Amino acid sequence: MAAALNLSSTPFLRQISSTKTPKASMSVRATSRPSENSSTSVGTKENENQGLSSSSSSLFSPPPNFKPPEPKRFGVRPDKFLDVLGASLSLVFRLGTGIFVNGYSASLVPKNDFPPDKYALEIAGFKVKETSKLGPRPEKPIEIYEFESCPFCRKVREIVAVLDLDILFYPCPRNGPNFRPKVLQMGGKQQFPYMVDPNTGVSMYESDDIIKYLVQNYGDGNVPLFLSLGLLTTLSEGFAMIGRLGRGSIYKPSKLPPAPLEIWAYEGSPFCKLVREVLVELELPHLVRCCARGSPKRQQLYEKEGHFQVPYLDDPNTGVRMFESAEIVEYLQATYAL
């Protein structure tokens, strides 16, 4: 375990000097924009980005004539069928790890006996009541530096979903100019994943150590079976990513936004994976609000938008909010890729 790390309280992105090298390095602050309590439609928010400078606002704006799509349940766009199929292989190799929150349970309740303002799946006249057992909640989002096609990073993303934690991810694709050098500066080596917990001052490498730390501090202290099998776990994590052929691992030139994007997602969803790949390739910092099955955040998103579906993007740099993975990918590429 690395020594405690004190994070800067300066703005999201600024230049700092290093005592080891004469070149300037990127420094970021672990902050997030508070969620809205309610909303009635998916679209562009107005007057919510007052903290952004006028130059930033002009640099980041939705594509011309952009209109967020209407959410469609259980639909796959025909041109994305193979992508979704490849991303779904992880469900087989990982046996659903990361789909359910710790202590998940479900029961059927007659539809008429279920509160109409509560989120739930409906099956043949019944509502599925889902519950889970959450541990202590961190006050600030934990930071993780990683990239999509790394089996060790995937292990950590799975436990994050199981523990229902909100995580501020700093993508570190190969050749990425911003956050790979920062990990070297902070920890002394470019190894991933790398975790920083601003709540305790703890920072560390090694996926297994990170998993143990998270379950001890924010769970029940027990590592799930399929994350505790050593080499077998690592091998199955690698096989789980075969269908995507290394997507989400190599940097693509992009414009770095002044504030992290917010994405409601969870590791077990193939639709969320497609969006995460692009966020990593474009090296876009993003706050993931995990909402696997049993997460109370499903109700929060339901109240926020009158609908639950993931992935859901909330971009504070442009005011755009939207569902639908294929369209989110296109939006990210049009807005941030160079």
Side-chain angles (χ1 to χ4, degrees):
M1 181 182 299
L5 175 69
N6 293 322
L7 295 182
S8 170
S9 60
T10 53
F12 173 72
L13 184 64
R14 69 177 179 88
Q15 296 291 326
I16 62 173
S17 61
S18 171
T19 57
K20 294 183 178 180
T21 61
K23 294 184 178 180
S25 301
M26 292 293 184
S27 177
V28 288
R29 183 181 63 175
T31 61
S32 62
R33 185 171 51 89
S35 294
E36 298 173 322
N37 292 327
S38 63
S39 179
T40 57
S41 64
V42 177
T44 300
K45 294 177 288 185
E46 297 179 356
N47 303 323
E48 291 187 8
N49 299 316
Q50 298 177 358
L52 300 181
S53 66
S54 59
S55 60
S56 296
S57 299
S58 61
L59 181 61
F60 297 99
S61 60
N65 302 317
F66 174 79
K67 182 180 180 181
E70 292 294 325
K72 299 179 286 292
R73 294 183 65 83
F74 306 116
V76 179
R77 213 169 73 179
D79 62 320
K80 298 297 181 181
F81 176 77
L82 291 179
D83 289 332
V84 174
L85 181 63
S88 299
L89 288 180
S90 62
L91 300 176
V92 177
F93 288 107
R94 293 298 299 144
L95 301 178
T97 306
I99 291 181
F100 302 102
V101 176
N102 189 48
Y104 176 84
S105 65
S107 59
L108 294 177
V109 178
K111 180 179 179 181
N112 294 334
D113 296 338
F114 199 86
D117 60 341
K118 299 296 183 181
Y119 161 77
L121 287 176
E122 183 175 341
I123 301 177
F126 289 86
K127 292 281 190 175
V128 181
K129 182 180 179 180
E130 300 173 286
T131 60
S132 59
K133 298 178 181 179
L134 301 181
R137 303 291 85 188
E139 180 180 348
K140 301 176 183 178
I142 296 165
E143 304 171 22
I144 296 179
Y145 295 74
E146 53 88 58
F147 60 100
E148 180 67 26
S149 62
C150 164
F152 303 100
C153 299
R154 183 183 170 90
K155 288 165 61 176
V156 173
R157 295 197 302 269
E158 286 180 349
I159 196 60
V160 161
V162 171
L163 298 178
D164 197 42
L165 298 174
D166 289 347
I167 301 293
L168 184 54
F169 283 102
Y170 290 108
C172 299
R174 294 186 183 92
N175 302 321
N178 296 304
F179 304 118
R180 277 191 173 241
K182 182 170 176 60
V183 170
L184 177 62
Q185 178 191 18
M186 291 189 299
K189 54 184 176 180
Q190 287 192 7
Q191 178 178 309
F192 305 96
Y194 181 72
M195 184 206 73
V196 176
D197 187 348
N199 303 282
T200 62
V202 169
S203 59
M204 63 174 66
Y205 294 101
E206 299 296 340
S207 58
D208 288 339
D209 291 340
I210 293 172
I211 289 171
K212 292 176 183 177
Y213 171 85
L214 292 176
V215 299
Q216 289 170 359
N217 287 273
Y218 305 111
D220 60 7
N222 298 311
V223 177
L225 175 63
F226 291 108
L227 284 169
S228 61
L229 300 178
L231 180 60
L232 182 59
T233 295
T234 303
L235 289 175
S236 64
E237 297 284 13
F239 287 134
M241 297 182 289
I242 288 177
R244 295 304 294 149
L245 300 174
R247 303 284 179 85
S249 63
I250 300 176
Y251 173 72
K252 295 181 179 179
S254 64
K255 297 176 289 186
L256 189 64
L261 284 68
E262 181 176 299
I263 185 83
W264 298 63
Y266 62 100
E267 183 60 25
S269 166
F271 300 96
C272 297
K273 181 174 180 60
L274 300 181
V275 172
R276 269 268 311 167
E277 289 173 352
V278 176
L279 287 168
V280 172
E281 290 173 348
L282 297 178
E283 207 184 23
L284 301 176
H286 52 284
L287 175 67
V288 173
R289 299 204 178 275
C290 284
C291 45
R293 300 224 66 92
S295 170
K297 279 174 281 194
R298 292 190 167 223
Q299 177 65 27
Q300 293 175 19
L301 182 56
Y302 183 80
E303 293 174 356
K304 177 183 173 75
E305 292 295 350
H307 177 77
F308 176 82
Q309 183 176 311
V310 291
Y312 170 79
L313 176 70
D314 189 343
D315 186 346
N317 304 290
T318 63
V320 165
R321 301 173 304 184
M322 61 188 298
F323 294 99
E324 295 298 327
S325 59
E327 283 79 4
I328 291 175
V329 166
E330 293 172 347
Y331 163 81
L332 293 173
Q333 293 171 335
T335 305
Y336 293 104
L338 291 176

